[in-house]
PDB file of all heavy atoms in Angstrom:
ATOM      1  N   PRO W 190     116.960  87.456  96.840  1.00 87.00           N
ATOM      2  CA  PRO W 190     117.556  87.660  95.523  1.00 87.00           C
ATOM      3  C   PRO W 190     118.681  88.691  95.587  1.00 87.00           C
ATOM      4  O   PRO W 190     118.572  89.688  96.298  1.00 87.00           O
ATOM      5  CB  PRO W 190     116.379  88.153  94.676  1.00 87.00           C
ATOM      6  CG  PRO W 190     115.159  87.678  95.391  1.00 87.00           C
ATOM      7  CD  PRO W 190     115.501  87.703  96.843  1.00 87.00           C
ATOM      8  N   PHE W 192     121.705  91.196  93.679  1.00 90.00           N
ATOM      9  CA  PHE W 192     121.999  91.962  92.473  1.00 90.00           C
ATOM     10  C   PHE W 192     123.120  91.328  91.652  1.00 90.00           C
ATOM     11  O   PHE W 192     123.303  91.695  90.485  1.00 90.00           O
ATOM     12  CB  PHE W 192     122.368  93.406  92.828  1.00 90.00           C
ATOM     13  CG  PHE W 192     121.190  94.325  92.899  1.00 90.00           C
ATOM     14  CD1 PHE W 192     120.524  94.530  94.096  1.00 90.00           C
ATOM     15  CD2 PHE W 192     120.729  94.984  91.776  1.00 90.00           C
ATOM     16  CE1 PHE W 192     119.434  95.380  94.171  1.00 90.00           C
ATOM     17  CE2 PHE W 192     119.636  95.829  91.832  1.00 90.00           C
ATOM     18  CZ  PHE W 192     118.983  96.025  93.038  1.00 90.00           C
ATOM     19  N   ASP W 194     123.045  88.568  90.414  1.00 85.00           N
ATOM     20  CA  ASP W 194     122.401  87.786  89.356  1.00 85.00           C
ATOM     21  C   ASP W 194     121.927  88.652  88.199  1.00 85.00           C
ATOM     22  O   ASP W 194     121.491  88.120  87.174  1.00 85.00           O
ATOM     23  CB  ASP W 194     121.193  87.023  89.932  1.00 85.00           C
ATOM     24  CG  ASP W 194     121.585  86.138  91.100  1.00 85.00           C
ATOM     25  OD1 ASP W 194     122.713  85.610  91.075  1.00 85.00           O
ATOM     26  OD2 ASP W 194     120.772  85.985  92.034  1.00 85.00           O
ATOM     27  N   VAL W 195     121.969  89.967  88.361  1.00 85.00           N
ATOM     28  CA  VAL W 195     121.449  90.878  87.341  1.00 85.00           C
ATOM     29  C   VAL W 195     122.551  91.174  86.326  1.00 85.00           C
ATOM     30  O   VAL W 195     123.650  91.586  86.687  1.00 85.00           O
ATOM     31  CB  VAL W 195     120.944  92.191  87.977  1.00 85.00           C
ATOM     32  CG1 VAL W 195     120.452  93.138  86.894  1.00 85.00           C
ATOM     33  CG2 VAL W 195     119.837  91.892  88.981  1.00 85.00           C
ATOM     34  N   LYS W 196     122.255  90.958  85.064  1.00 81.00           N
ATOM     35  CA  LYS W 196     123.198  91.248  83.982  1.00 81.00           C
ATOM     36  C   LYS W 196     122.813  92.566  83.305  1.00 81.00           C
ATOM     37  O   LYS W 196     121.657  92.762  82.926  1.00 81.00           O
ATOM     38  CB  LYS W 196     123.190  90.113  82.951  1.00 81.00           C
ATOM     39  CG  LYS W 196     123.543  88.737  83.533  1.00 81.00           C
ATOM     40  CD  LYS W 196     124.970  88.717  84.053  1.00 81.00           C
ATOM     41  CE  LYS W 196     125.330  87.356  84.615  1.00 81.00           C
ATOM     42  NZ  LYS W 196     125.424  86.318  83.578  1.00 81.00           N
ATOM     43  N   GLN W 198     121.862  96.467  82.725  1.00 84.00           N
ATOM     44  CA  GLN W 198     120.947  97.393  83.398  1.00 84.00           C
ATOM     45  C   GLN W 198     121.684  98.295  84.403  1.00 84.00           C
ATOM     46  O   GLN W 198     121.246  98.489  85.548  1.00 84.00           O
ATOM     47  CB  GLN W 198     119.821  96.624  84.115  1.00 84.00           C
ATOM     48  CG  GLN W 198     118.891  95.874  83.203  1.00 84.00           C
ATOM     49  CD  GLN W 198     118.037  96.790  82.336  1.00 84.00           C
ATOM     50  OE1 GLN W 198     118.269  97.982  82.274  1.00 84.00           O
ATOM     51  NE2 GLN W 198     117.074  96.222  81.644  1.00 84.00           N
ATOM     52  N   SER W 223     112.682  93.035  80.214  1.00 85.00           N
ATOM     53  CA  SER W 223     113.860  93.868  80.472  1.00 85.00           C
ATOM     54  C   SER W 223     114.345  93.772  81.914  1.00 85.00           C
ATOM     55  O   SER W 223     115.388  94.333  82.253  1.00 85.00           O
ATOM     56  CB  SER W 223     113.558  95.328  80.121  1.00 85.00           C
ATOM     57  OG  SER W 223     112.422  95.800  80.839  1.00 85.00           O
ATOM     58  N   GLY W 224     113.622  93.073  82.762  1.00 86.00           N
ATOM     59  CA  GLY W 224     114.089  92.824  84.128  1.00 86.00           C
ATOM     60  C   GLY W 224     113.536  93.765  85.176  1.00 86.00           C
ATOM     61  O   GLY W 224     114.105  93.882  86.260  1.00 86.00           O
ATOM     62  N   LYS W 225     112.413  94.433  84.914  1.00 91.00           N
ATOM     63  CA  LYS W 225     111.866  95.402  85.864  1.00 91.00           C
ATOM     64  C   LYS W 225     111.478  94.733  87.179  1.00 91.00           C
ATOM     65  O   LYS W 225     111.875  95.187  88.257  1.00 91.00           O
ATOM     66  CB  LYS W 225     110.646  96.102  85.242  1.00 91.00           C
ATOM     67  CG  LYS W 225     110.931  96.795  83.912  1.00 91.00           C
ATOM     68  CD  LYS W 225     109.711  97.530  83.400  1.00 91.00           C
ATOM     69  CE  LYS W 225     108.549  96.598  83.063  1.00 91.00           C
ATOM     70  NZ  LYS W 225     108.866  95.680  81.936  1.00 91.00           N
ATOM     71  N   SER W 226     110.698  93.669  87.102  1.00 91.00           N
ATOM     72  CA  SER W 226     110.265  92.986  88.327  1.00 91.00           C
ATOM     73  C   SER W 226     111.443  92.340  89.037  1.00 91.00           C
ATOM     74  O   SER W 226     111.524  92.358  90.272  1.00 91.00           O
ATOM     75  CB  SER W 226     109.203  91.930  87.995  1.00 91.00           C
ATOM     76  OG  SER W 226     108.077  92.511  87.375  1.00 91.00           O
ATOM     77  N   MET W 227     112.365  91.777  88.279  1.00 91.00           N
ATOM     78  CA  MET W 227     113.538  91.140  88.875  1.00 91.00           C
ATOM     79  C   MET W 227     114.356  92.153  89.658  1.00 91.00           C
ATOM     80  O   MET W 227     114.830  91.885  90.767  1.00 91.00           O
ATOM     81  CB  MET W 227     114.398  90.502  87.780  1.00 91.00           C
ATOM     82  CG  MET W 227     115.649  89.819  88.296  1.00 91.00           C
ATOM     83  SD  MET W 227     116.679  89.164  86.976  1.00 91.00           S
ATOM     84  CE  MET W 227     117.255  90.678  86.216  1.00 91.00           C
ATOM     85  N   LEU W 228     114.518  93.341  89.100  1.00 93.00           N
ATOM     86  CA  LEU W 228     115.270  94.383  89.794  1.00 93.00           C
ATOM     87  C   LEU W 228     114.544  94.837  91.057  1.00 93.00           C
ATOM     88  O   LEU W 228     115.167  94.997  92.117  1.00 93.00           O
ATOM     89  CB  LEU W 228     115.469  95.570  88.850  1.00 93.00           C
ATOM     90  CG  LEU W 228     116.500  95.394  87.732  1.00 93.00           C
ATOM     91  CD1 LEU W 228     116.273  96.425  86.635  1.00 93.00           C
ATOM     92  CD2 LEU W 228     117.911  95.517  88.277  1.00 93.00           C
ATOM     93  N   ALA W 229     113.235  95.039  90.955  1.00 93.00           N
ATOM     94  CA  ALA W 229     112.477  95.527  92.104  1.00 93.00           C
ATOM     95  C   ALA W 229     112.522  94.540  93.267  1.00 93.00           C
ATOM     96  O   ALA W 229     112.601  94.953  94.441  1.00 93.00           O
ATOM     97  CB  ALA W 229     111.040  95.806  91.697  1.00 93.00           C
ATOM     98  N   LYS W 230     112.479  93.261  92.979  1.00 93.00           N
ATOM     99  CA  LYS W 230     112.487  92.258  94.043  1.00 93.00           C
ATOM    100  C   LYS W 230     113.813  92.203  94.786  1.00 93.00           C
ATOM    101  O   LYS W 230     113.909  91.612  95.861  1.00 93.00           O
ATOM    102  CB  LYS W 230     112.159  90.879  93.455  1.00 93.00           C
ATOM    103  CG  LYS W 230     110.717  90.762  92.981  1.00 93.00           C
ATOM    104  CD  LYS W 230     110.452  89.436  92.299  1.00 93.00           C
ATOM    105  CE  LYS W 230     109.005  89.359  91.789  1.00 93.00           C
ATOM    106  NZ  LYS W 230     108.740  88.088  91.049  1.00 93.00           N
ATOM    107  N   ARG W 231     114.840  92.832  94.235  1.00 93.00           N
ATOM    108  CA  ARG W 231     116.150  92.853  94.884  1.00 93.00           C
ATOM    109  C   ARG W 231     116.379  94.114  95.705  1.00 93.00           C
ATOM    110  O   ARG W 231     117.437  94.253  96.321  1.00 93.00           O
ATOM    111  CB  ARG W 231     117.250  92.693  93.822  1.00 93.00           C
ATOM    112  CG  ARG W 231     117.385  91.258  93.364  1.00 93.00           C
ATOM    113  CD  ARG W 231     118.040  91.106  92.004  1.00 93.00           C
ATOM    114  NE  ARG W 231     118.294  89.699  91.701  1.00 93.00           N
ATOM    115  CZ  ARG W 231     117.355  88.818  91.343  1.00 93.00           C
ATOM    116  NH1 ARG W 231     116.107  89.223  91.217  1.00 93.00           N
ATOM    117  NH2 ARG W 231     117.664  87.549  91.110  1.00 93.00           N
ATOM    118  N   ILE W 232     115.411  95.010  95.738  1.00 95.00           N
ATOM    119  CA  ILE W 232     115.569  96.235  96.520  1.00 95.00           C
ATOM    120  C   ILE W 232     115.805  95.936  98.007  1.00 95.00           C
ATOM    121  O   ILE W 232     116.687  96.543  98.625  1.00 95.00           O
ATOM    122  CB  ILE W 232     114.350  97.157  96.330  1.00 95.00           C
ATOM    123  CG1 ILE W 232     114.275  97.658  94.885  1.00 95.00           C
ATOM    124  CG2 ILE W 232     114.423  98.350  97.283  1.00 95.00           C
ATOM    125  CD1 ILE W 232     113.035  98.483  94.585  1.00 95.00           C
ATOM    126  N   PHE W 302     105.640  97.357  96.272  1.00 97.00           N
ATOM    127  CA  PHE W 302     105.918  97.215  94.842  1.00 97.00           C
ATOM    128  C   PHE W 302     104.625  96.961  94.088  1.00 97.00           C
ATOM    129  O   PHE W 302     103.895  96.012  94.383  1.00 97.00           O
ATOM    130  CB  PHE W 302     106.906  96.080  94.606  1.00 97.00           C
ATOM    131  CG  PHE W 302     107.178  95.807  93.153  1.00 97.00           C
ATOM    132  CD1 PHE W 302     107.544  96.830  92.293  1.00 97.00           C
ATOM    133  CD2 PHE W 302     107.067  94.517  92.628  1.00 97.00           C
ATOM    134  CE1 PHE W 302     107.788  96.591  90.946  1.00 97.00           C
ATOM    135  CE2 PHE W 302     107.323  94.256  91.294  1.00 97.00           C
ATOM    136  CZ  PHE W 302     107.681  95.298  90.450  1.00 97.00           C
TER     137      PHE W 302
END
Side-chain angles (χ1 to χ4, degrees):
F192 271 91
D194 304 326
V195 178
K196 302 296 181 69
Q198 295 293 10
S223 56
K225 303 183 296 295
S226 301
M227 180 183 68
L228 286 162
K230 291 175 182 177
R231 283 158 173 75
I232 294 175
F302 176 51

